[in-house]
Amino acid sequence: AALPLAARLLALAWLQPAAWETGWAISDGEASLALEWARAVPTARVRAVGVEPSLLGVAMARAGVGENLAAIPSASPLRCREWPMPEAVFVRGGVGLSDWLAAAWARLAPGGRLVATAEDDHARADLLAFAAQVPAEAWQELSLARGETVAGRLRFAPAAPIRLALWRKPLN
């Protein structure tokens, strides 16, 4: 499922992607943030990691995104050593989150930003463990509710909260 819009907007606000930057959007099989990023900053170079290229191509056409977005269908954190050094990285929490956080932080350019989300308890634990090693600059937890009509009446059902964390790599 796509990362909720509110979480994507906050993540992009924290990432502050610039026109000349290279960025990674690591999200297993889902490219909603990568698409928003590429559309918002059409001259940035964005890699959608964990996304099938053929599916991304269809989504890019629908979203009106140009050539600045590339897909990497499956990758390990070790493989990111082959990619250009990023100035901004987004990691959507999931299996292997702690490994991706460590690899992204190691490759992040000085002054770069790393934003990660956690949507389940395992990912939240991984975020906290990484923050114990590298203190986060900012934290936010979004509690969202989905509206639905039941018996002709509007009712909001709460969803699991999404926790976000921001890190900035020192310039030195």
Side-chain angles (χ1 to χ4, degrees), residues 7-172:
R8 293 194 311 261
L9 292 175
L10 179 58
L12 283 171
W14 281 359
L15 285 169
Q16 299 174 341
W20 60 87
E21 291 183 326
T22 295
W24 304 345
I26 302 165
S27 183
D28 192 24
E30 190 274 309
S32 61
L33 187 120
L35 287 164
E36 297 281 349
W37 186 345
R39 183 174 38 215
V41 189
T43 56
R45 294 166 310 283
V46 181
R47 290 180 181 270
V49 180
V51 178
E52 185 59 41
S54 60
L55 296 176
L56 183 63
V58 172
M60 286 172 64
R62 287 186 191 145
V65 173
E67 299 292 317
N68 64 326
L69 181 57
I72 299 174
S74 62
S76 72
L78 292 176
R79 186 163 172 225
C80 73
R81 293 180 200 163
E82 304 166 11
W83 308 334
M85 183 178 282
E87 287 82 18
V89 176
F90 169 77
V91 183
R92 185 174 183 183
V95 176
L97 176 60
S98 55
D99 293 334
W100 276 114
L101 288 170
W105 185 254
R107 288 287 294 148
L108 191 63
R113 290 93 48 217
L114 170 63
V115 174
T117 64
E119 299 167 64
D120 62 42
D121 290 335
H122 292 285
R124 287 181 190 91
D126 288 344
L127 276 185
L128 291 172
F130 185 73
Q133 299 169 15
V134 181
E137 178 179 311
W139 290 91
Q140 184 76 45
E141 188 164 276
L142 299 175
S143 296
L144 304 171
R146 185 175 308 273
E148 61 186 359
T149 302
V150 177
R153 299 187 56 92
L154 179 61
R155 182 177 81 181
F156 284 88
I162 300 169
R163 187 169 296 163
L164 292 95
L166 164 68
W167 291 267
R168 285 186 201 275
K169 196 158 192 182
L171 290 172
N172 51 14

